[in-house]
Amino acid sequence: VTALEGVEREPSLSPDGSQVAFIWNNDLYVKAVDSGEPHRIASNVFETAWSHDGQWIATFRNVGPPGQHKLLLVAPTGGSEREIGSFHNHAFRSLDWSLDGKTIALAHKERPELSPAVFLVEIRTGKTQRITTPPPEANFDGDPTFSNDGLRLAYFRNFSTNGIGRFEI
């Protein structure tokens, strides 16, 4: 789909499969799958997650102290960005939209002494709700993913620095 120089990462297909969003040189690009050139729509970001209606792409922007990021919504055509809130994200794949498009599940470290956990963020208000609490022997919870019916949320619980963990529901 792309052949740009350097590292292209974090690809995400649009719900209809016609476009791909991806990160290249820390910027968010969108490109038609079958042809055309990629278009930069946001800078200094990481993560990509399309809303189910294809109207928005959720992404994080690095800001402030290390690990502090703003959750943004960007239209796939570019233009103004909508800031949802500020989160301490540990750069593990960590965004997924609810089916109704009203919430985003993400990994967030609420306070420095706590391990990253999974939260739901209400798009309209930015209000958060903690969903998981990693036990002391776990390093973090991350990689939240809603089930196809939208009734469950799976996530990855990491127990070591070498990637050993398990998926939970």
Side-chain angles (χ1 to χ4, degrees), residues 25-28 42-46 59-63 72:
N25 293 334
N26 296 322
D27 293 341
L28 176 60
S43 60
N44 192 28
V45 297
F46 65 98
T59 189
F60 283 114
R61 174 169 288 135
N62 298 315
V63 295
L72 304 172

Side-chain angles (χ1 to χ4, degrees), residues 7-168:
V7 178
E8 303 154 351
R9 57 189 171 82
E10 302 170 37
S12 180
L13 277 175
S14 62
D16 67 3
S18 68
Q19 299 178 85
V20 63
F22 62 96
I23 304 295
W24 180 50
N25 293 334
N26 296 322
D27 293 341
L28 176 60
Y29 286 80
V30 173
K31 181 191 176 302
V33 169
D34 57 358
S35 66
E37 295 296 317
H39 299 281
R40 186 174 65 154
I41 61 170
S43 60
N44 192 28
V45 297
F46 65 98
E47 301 280 349
T48 60
W50 287 84
S51 61
H52 292 280
D53 64 5
Q55 300 298 308
W56 297 101
I57 300 169
T59 189
F60 283 114
R61 174 169 288 135
N62 298 315
V63 295
Q68 197 66 30
H69 311 293
K70 289 185 180 185
L71 175 62
L72 304 172
L73 301 185
V74 183
T77 55
S80 61
E81 303 167 347
R82 180 175 168 204
E83 184 180 329
I84 303 302
S86 186
F87 300 92
H88 187 277
N89 179 282
H90 63 288
F92 188 76
R93 185 181 120 44
S94 58
L95 291 174
D96 197 29
W97 287 80
S98 63
L99 288 178
D100 64 8
K102 294 181 180 179
T103 57
I104 289 178
L106 56 78
H108 170 56
K109 190 173 183 177
E110 204 170 23
R111 294 191 312 266
E113 69 275 11
L114 296 177
S115 296
V118 175
F119 288 77
L120 294 180
V121 180
E122 188 177 310
I123 298 297
R124 191 176 53 79
T125 65
K127 181 181 173 186
T128 62
Q129 176 186 356
R130 176 187 279 274
I131 299 299
T132 69
T133 301
E137 65 273 13
N139 291 327
F140 64 85
D141 290 346
D143 198 13
T145 305
F146 284 97
S147 62
N148 289 339
D149 61 9
L151 300 176
R152 291 169 296 204
L153 186 70
Y155 60 93
F156 182 78
R157 177 163 283 164
N158 179 279
F159 288 97
S160 71
T161 56
N162 65 2
I164 295 173
R166 66 176 177 245
F167 283 95
E168 309 258 339

